[in-house]
């Protein structure tokens, strides 16, 4: 395979360019275990700092920014692209899996129409910890390799903030918006080239018959299934993305572009974590619907390749695939091994109780461990006792009794599917405030705690 792969695409798809100078870089964090996992040849030393602050290339790779479009809050924007980041390296690990390193916050590019091309320390810490927390929760996501900040460069947001560069690793950063870019420019050649590259590197089983309609339908099917699984995982863990624009949707089904994201505290299904989302388009409970809408946008870009009615039919499988994936996740969260018709009601009733008493979403589920056996969490501390709760607990115990599972199997299921620790906004905020004073120890402490979200590590947050 030839790297860099972007050279397979027409020149108009990208721009080779260098980063703007980033003065006085210092390490905030480096993810050593990820570096090992993806076999990237960079370490936490002086040379690594130069590379990850974008002062020198990694193994001669010529950095570049890529063009993409996207539907932002439902409105098509043809001119997006890497406006504040560069594709910095591509490599294969020992198994032949391709990986990309993207440096975010490297300054203006050919695609930054407004803005300084910079990322601030605050949001970079949120992405760093948020994406690694998601990975530890076994949720598909881009990963965070490195975080450096400048001792000198400040950038203006609502206030003046320290600039940072995040090293992000993904199998690929190709977004739905890359397909939309070629499609809406009527660039059939670019669209075909994007498909060919993507299949060759990431969907090799589809490559040989890549021009056949059935292959494209199968590819769309993969997208639908992947996204159904991803959104089910988000809903089950209580993750709100906040900006589900099509330019933030990964073609690998990864959680991508962490901005105003959040994890639920109190269970409020209509929670909007993005303060600029005045209509609540990306409210927590709207995410499945929006994913479906985004898949329709992607399918639209396939109409040269397969009949529209067949494409529509594939996308229309999303609601059912999502429903199944969500039920599966929620059954596990209740410690249920088998599947019974009454499970959907059991789950809905439990969620209605949590919504009613505004219970903490994660810890109420975690406290079910205390119902099943010995555990420091006491359910009554999170869900006030009432007749409704008692009735639900009776129904729950009865349902558990119908499962051919042992008590220890149920205990393990509950423990492995209900995190004790999630990245709550106030925790991220504490780490940010210290980091802005030059103390990165809280970033490190949270990073390590969030690597083991299912194990009690002292106090509950
Ligand atoms: P995001 O909100 O990060 O998903 O970005 C949406 C679009 O705006 C992308 O094309 C980004 O590259 C661009 N963008 C975001 N922030 C900046 C910035 N500070 N400077 C230039 N472009 C930006
Ligand atoms: Mg984005």
């Amino acid at each position: 395979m030839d790297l860099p792969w972007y050279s397979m695409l027409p020149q108009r798809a990208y721009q080779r360019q260098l980063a703007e100078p980033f003065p006085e870089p210092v390490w905030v964090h480096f993810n050593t275990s990820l570096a090992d996992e993806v076999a990237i040849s960079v370490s936490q030393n002086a040379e690594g700092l130069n590379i990850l602050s974008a002062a020198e290339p990694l193994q001669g790779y010529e950095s570049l920014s890529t063009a993409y479009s996207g539907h932002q809050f439902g409105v098509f924007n043809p001119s997006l692209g890497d406006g504040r980041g560069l594709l910095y390296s591509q490599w294969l690990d020992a198994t032949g899996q391709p990986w990309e390193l993207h440096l975010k916050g490297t300054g203006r590019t050919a695609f930054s129409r407004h803005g300084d091309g910079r990322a601030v320390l605050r949001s970079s810490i949120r992405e760093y910890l948020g994406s690694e927390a998601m990975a530890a929760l076994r949720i598909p996501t881009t990963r965070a390799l490195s975080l450096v900040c400048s001792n000198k460069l400040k950038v203006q947001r609502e206030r003046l903030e320290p600039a940072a560069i995040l090293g992000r690793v993904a199998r690929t950063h190709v977004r739905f918006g890359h397909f939309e870019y070629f499609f809406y420019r009527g660039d059939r050649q670019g669209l075909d080239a994007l498909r060919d590259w993507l299949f060759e590197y990431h969907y090799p089983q589809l490559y040989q018959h890549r021009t056949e309609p059935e292959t494209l339908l199968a590819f769309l099917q993969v997208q639908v299934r992947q996204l159904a699984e991803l959104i089910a995982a988000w809903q089950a863990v209580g993750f709100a993305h906040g900006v589900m624009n099509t330019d933030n949707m990964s073609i690998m089904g990864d959680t991508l572009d962490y901005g105003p994201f959040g994890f639920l505290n109190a269970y409020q299904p209509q929670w909007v974590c993005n303060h600029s989302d005045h209509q609540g388009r990306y409210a927590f409970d709207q995410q499945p619907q929006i994913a479906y809408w985004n898949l329709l946008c992607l399918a639209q870009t396939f109409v040269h390749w397969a009949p529209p009615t067949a494409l529509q039919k594939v996308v229309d499988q999303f609601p059912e695939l999502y429903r199944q994936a969500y039920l599966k996740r929620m059954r596990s969260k209740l410690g249920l091994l088998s599947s019974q018709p009454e499970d959907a009601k059991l789950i809905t009733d439990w969620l209605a109780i949590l919504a009613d008493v505004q219970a903490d979403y994660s810890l109420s589920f975690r406290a079910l461990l205390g119902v099943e056996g010995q555990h420091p969490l006491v359910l009554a501390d999170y869900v006030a006792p009432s007749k409704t709760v008692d009735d639900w607990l009776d129904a729950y115990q009865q349902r558990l009794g119908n499962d051919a599972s042992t008590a220890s199997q149920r205990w393990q299921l509950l423990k492995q599917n209900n995190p004790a620790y999630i990245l709550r906004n106030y925790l991220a905020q504490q780490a940010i405030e210290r980091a802005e004073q030059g103390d990165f120890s809280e970033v490190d402490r949270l990073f390590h705690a969030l690597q083991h979200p299912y194990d009690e590590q002292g106090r509950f947050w």
Side-chain angles (χ1 to χ4, degrees):
M1 282 195 245
D2 292 330
L3 297 172
W5 64 262
Y6 244 86
S7 58
M8 287 173 66
L9 294 186
Q11 264 290 316
R12 55 193 175 278
Y14 64 92
Q15 182 84 40
R16 286 204 190 284
Q17 61 193 129
L18 297 174
E20 290 189 277
F22 190 74
E24 296 184 26
V26 291
W27 289 108
V28 177
H29 213 269
F30 182 73
N31 191 345
T32 312
S33 64
L34 178 66
D36 290 345
E37 203 179 303
V38 300
I40 188 173
S41 52
V42 61
S43 325
Q44 192 172 15
N45 53 23
E47 191 196 355
L49 186 60
N50 268 342
I51 292 166
L52 295 167
S53 62
E56 61 179 74
L58 180 57
Q59 296 184 327
Y61 189 91
E62 291 180 54
S63 53
L64 52 88
S65 52
T66 75
Y68 55 80
S69 306
H71 280 83
Q72 299 181 300
F73 291 88
V75 179
F76 184 64
N77 183 340
S79 309
L80 293 166
D82 298 323
R84 56 161 156 177
L86 296 171
L87 185 56
Y88 217 70
S89 188
Q90 292 177 287
W91 70 99
L92 303 177
D93 69 17
T95 68
Q97 167 69 51
W99 291 99
E100 295 179 359
L101 171 68
H102 173 100
L103 294 186
K104 184 170 176 179
T106 48
R108 289 181 60 82
T109 75
F111 302 101
S112 27
R113 294 191 312 160
H114 315 287
D116 49 20
R118 293 297 183 186
V120 296
L121 182 59
R122 172 176 47 86
S123 34
S124 304
I125 288 175
R126 284 171 48 79
E127 171 153 2
Y128 193 94
L129 293 176
S131 58
E132 286 308 296
M134 291 287 266
L137 291 162
R138 308 187 299 270
I139 299 176
T141 178
T142 60
R143 303 293 303 273
L145 175 74
S146 59
L147 183 52
V148 298
C149 80
S150 169
N151 265 345
K152 196 162 177 194
L153 184 66
K154 301 265 191 288
V155 290
Q156 187 66 47
R157 295 292 181 263
E158 275 172 24
R159 59 188 169 93
L160 210 55
E161 299 190 44
I165 296 179
L166 178 84
R168 182 168 69 190
V169 169
R171 290 169 292 173
T172 177
H173 287 79
V174 169
R175 304 147 188 266
F176 287 11
H178 281 96
F179 281 81
E180 292 179 298
Y181 173 79
F182 292 114
F183 178 76
Y184 287 102
R185 287 162 58 110
D187 186 346
R188 179 70 196 272
Q189 193 206 352
L191 204 54
D192 286 353
L194 178 62
R195 174 200 62 195
D196 292 354
W197 169 78
L198 192 75
F199 286 8
E200 182 179 356
Y201 281 67
H202 293 285
Y203 297 93
Q205 72 282 15
L206 300 178
Y207 185 73
Q208 195 188 352
H209 301 291
R210 63 192 176 281
T211 58
E212 291 174 15
E214 289 69 31
T215 308
L216 272 301
L217 292 170
F219 176 57
L220 187 60
Q221 176 103 52
V222 170
Q223 295 301 317
V224 171
R225 195 171 305 129
Q226 242 167 218
L227 203 53
E229 296 279 346
L230 180 70
I231 305 299
W234 287 3
Q235 301 308 111
V237 84
F239 174 83
H241 181 283
V243 204
M244 285 178 70
N245 294 335
T246 55
D247 50 295
N248 291 337
M249 303 303 294
S250 151
I251 208 75
M252 304 310 297
D254 286 337
T255 310
L256 169 67
D257 268 6
Y258 290 75
F261 73 91
F263 287 85
L264 286 171
N265 292 313
Y267 182 56
Q268 294 169 335
Q270 288 149 26
W271 182 47
V272 181
C273 62
N274 180 352
H275 296 306
S276 54
D277 180 7
H278 304 296
Q279 311 290 325
R281 179 180 171 87
Y282 298 135
F284 175 71
D285 63 356
Q286 295 303 302
Q287 297 187 125
Q289 186 61 32
I290 292 291
Y292 173 67
W293 193 90
N294 287 346
L295 284 164
L296 286 172
C297 289
L298 179 67
Q300 177 66 47
T301 71
F302 290 12
V303 295
H304 296 305
W305 296 327
T309 46
L311 291 165
Q312 173 86 44
K313 234 172 118 179
V314 173
V315 177
D316 283 345
Q317 294 170 12
F318 179 85
E320 180 55 21
L321 288 173
Y322 166 74
R323 197 184 67 83
Q324 287 170 15
Y326 180 70
L327 270 176
K328 187 159 180 256
R329 292 242 169 204
M330 296 307 278
R331 277 196 190 100
S332 302
K333 282 178 77 70
L334 289 180
L336 299 172
L337 263 184
S338 71
S339 148
Q340 301 284 338
E342 69 262 32
D343 295 348
K345 180 166 164 23
L346 194 70
I347 294 163
T348 317
D349 288 351
W350 176 239
L351 291 177
I353 290 172
L354 300 191
D356 191 38
V357 302
Q358 298 273 296
D360 184 273
Y361 180 76
S362 294
L363 292 182
S364 308
F365 273 97
R366 183 79 179 178
L368 293 176
L369 279 167
V371 176
E372 265 300 288
Q374 282 291 316
H375 193 272
L377 285 186
V378 177
L379 184 63
D381 291 344
Y382 298 93
V383 182
S386 70
K387 164 103 177 46
T388 319
V389 176
D390 283 349
D391 289 350
W392 185 84
L393 283 170
D394 284 347
Y396 178 49
Q397 291 296 344
Q398 211 169 21
R399 173 64 185 85
L400 287 173
N402 294 341
D403 242 13
S405 56
T406 64
S408 103
Q409 278 175 321
R410 286 200 290 275
W411 175 269
Q412 280 308 320
L413 258 183
L414 283 169
K415 190 163 182 290
Q416 294 306 319
N417 290 282
N418 294 302
Y421 306 105
I422 49 170
L423 181 63
R424 297 177 192 269
N425 275 340
Y426 84 93
L427 292 168
Q429 195 53 37
Q430 284 170 2
I432 289 164
E433 281 165 23
R434 287 226 211 147
E436 288 183 347
Q437 305 302 316
D439 171 6
F440 306 125
S441 60
E442 187 65 11
V443 173
D444 187 56
R445 197 183 72 82
L446 273 182
F447 175 84
H448 286 288
L450 293 166
Q451 295 294 296
H452 305 285
Y454 301 108
D455 299 332
E456 266 82 36
Q457 306 164 50
R459 72 191 164 105
F460 291 97
W461 295 319

